[in-house]
Amino acid sequence: MATLESVMGGVHVSDANPAFAPLPGGPAEKSRRGRVNGRGWIAVVASTLATAGAAAAEPVPGYPSRPIRLVVPFTPGVLDALGRSIGQKITDKYGQQIVTDNRPGAGTIVGSEIVARARPDGYTFLMITTTFAINPGLRSKLPYDPERDFTPVTQIDAVYNILVTGASSPLASIADLIATAKAKPGSLTYASAGTGTAPHIATELLKLTAAVDMTHVPYKGIPEAATDVISNRVSMLMTTTASAAPFLKAGRLKALGVSSAKRLPTLPDVPAIAETLPGFQADAFRGLVAPGGTPQPIVRLIAAEVAQAIRQPDIRARLLADGTEPIGSTPEVFAAFLKAETQKWAKVIKSAGIRPD
């Protein structure tokens, strides 16, 4: 069975993406406090500079002069609501509308292809999630080149996952999970929102890290999956902290661990999975890309405006309440992050032998 070292090529998972530029006071920044030497200090300084760079972009004369199209490759929901909130801040400043265009389908490929083929004039952008980094490793053929046909703009936030089980499940910790899985290989099951989705791939990374065998049970969505985990028909589920929160609060699910490198200030009693499995980290993300060849002055301007928007108290509070970490990175930092994420998930997919349905 593949190990974490073989999957990650000897790179510590939490160090695989140095392009992490959290805003001051958030969970990621708090988790670093006290690390004032060596690579920890360098990482803090680098991330601070990355964020500061995004805020220093210069205005582009004459831009924007017409509405900007924001393609969201999902059905209407949380993602386009976030896009509209950020877009309104830009509209308030420049007087041009940010028009949200929901284009779901084929695991975000439909919307992504639309933007890949769009004119690179600064008037079309794409909201992306971890699925954007998963698809190249999951699908042998894509109707676009994920590097050539897109220009990274900024990482909006980091989205933390949490591993949960039914409230009456005998599993009480990650150590319990590993011991049970090793004693009875294949007996434990885990739910996901579908084959190839971010929760599925994240749990596969957990399997590889712990060197255990568990059986995947795909569903059409998280609500259906959570229902069967609550009733103990399925052993566990990896999902976002926001998705799990209502069930945890109601006492219908219990948390085994969070996917972040350290405990989250919002869930201080829930251990990080990395406390039992050093090196494990499986956070998701949301970000913004533009068609390949979009002029860099425009890319930098939009990155700066997004970074400023998510610093506004209303949007920042909403993101933190949803269990995400506002980021606002520079285009260069986000490009490095995307490359590292794509490589990491491709290795997990290959090692686990995952194929799309």
Side-chain angles (χ1 to χ4, degrees):
M1 179 177 290
T3 64
L4 179 63
E5 283 293 308
S6 64
V7 170
M8 298 306 299
V11 178
H12 195 276
V13 178
S14 61
D15 292 334
N17 298 327
F20 194 65
L23 299 182
E29 190 272 338
K30 289 178 181 177
S31 73
R32 291 196 182 103
R33 289 177 180 170
R35 291 167 56 188
V36 294
N37 54 38
R39 289 189 301 169
W41 175 249
I42 293 173
V44 172
V45 173
S47 64
T48 301
L49 291 174
T51 305
E58 294 294 327
V60 177
Y63 177 86
S65 61
R66 63 178 191 270
I68 295 172
R69 180 190 190 190
L70 177 61
V71 176
V72 179
F74 296 93
T75 54
V78 175
L79 196 60
D80 54 301
L82 173 62
R84 285 194 297 272
S85 297
I86 294 173
Q88 188 59 51
K89 301 295 184 183
I90 298 175
T91 295
D92 292 344
K93 184 172 182 178
Y94 292 95
Q96 294 295 341
Q97 292 294 317
I98 309 297
V99 180
T100 301
D101 184 5
N102 291 93
R103 294 300 185 98
T108 75
I109 293 174
V110 171
S112 298
E113 183 179 10
I114 289 172
V115 174
R117 304 291 176 246
R119 181 176 297 179
D121 56 7
Y123 289 92
T124 303
F125 293 88
L126 175 70
M127 288 276 282
I128 65 171
T129 66
T130 307
T131 302
F132 186 86
I134 287 173
N135 277 335
L138 185 66
R139 303 174 188 275
S140 58
K141 292 184 179 180
L142 289 171
Y144 51 79
D145 185 307
E147 290 191 35
R148 182 192 64 217
D149 293 336
F150 296 96
T151 297
V153 179
T154 188
Q155 181 183 354
I156 296 171
D157 60 5
V159 182
Y160 298 114
N161 290 315
I162 188 168
L163 187 67
V164 295
T165 189
S168 61
S169 168
L171 300 177
S173 66
I174 297 298
D176 282 348
L177 182 158
I178 295 171
T180 301
K182 286 185 179 294
K184 299 179 180 179
S187 63
L188 293 181
T189 55
Y190 70 94
S192 80
T195 300
T197 58
H200 173 209
I201 307 300
T203 314
E204 286 294 333
L205 178 59
L206 174 64
K207 286 174 53 180
L208 291 166
T209 309
V212 297
D213 182 25
M214 300 189 296
T215 303
H216 178 218
V217 183
Y219 288 80
K220 292 183 178 180
I222 292 297
E224 297 89 343
T227 297
D228 277 2
V229 173
I230 289 169
S231 64
N232 291 321
R233 292 190 186 94
V234 182
S235 306
M236 71 198 76
L237 168 68
M238 182 87 75
T239 187
T240 63
T241 54
S243 295
F247 301 106
L248 293 169
K249 186 175 182 180
R252 303 179 72 190
L253 290 174
K254 63 181 176 183
L256 299 183
V258 291
S259 67
S260 50
K262 303 289 184 181
R263 296 191 185 205
L264 301 176
T266 51
L267 295 168
D269 296 329
V270 180
I273 295 172
E275 292 176 28
T276 303
L277 296 171
F280 180 85
Q281 189 171 357
D283 304 329
F285 72 89
R286 296 183 290 193
L288 199 67
V289 298
T294 298
Q296 279 300 306
I298 292 177
V299 170
R300 292 183 179 282
L301 175 65
I302 294 299
E305 295 299 342
V306 171
Q308 291 175 10
I310 63 177
R311 283 171 172 73
Q312 299 304 308
D314 56 339
I315 296 181
R316 176 171 168 74
R318 187 180 311 160
L319 291 173
L320 292 174
D322 286 342
T324 78
E325 173 75 16
I327 302 293
S329 57
T330 64
E332 293 83 2
V333 164
F334 189 39
F337 174 87
L338 273 180
K339 183 175 182 180
E341 285 287 284
T342 301
Q343 292 174 346
K344 178 175 81 172
W345 296 123
K347 291 177 180 177
V348 172
I349 290 165
K350 182 177 179 180
S351 295
I354 300 170
R355 295 290 182 271
D357 290 337

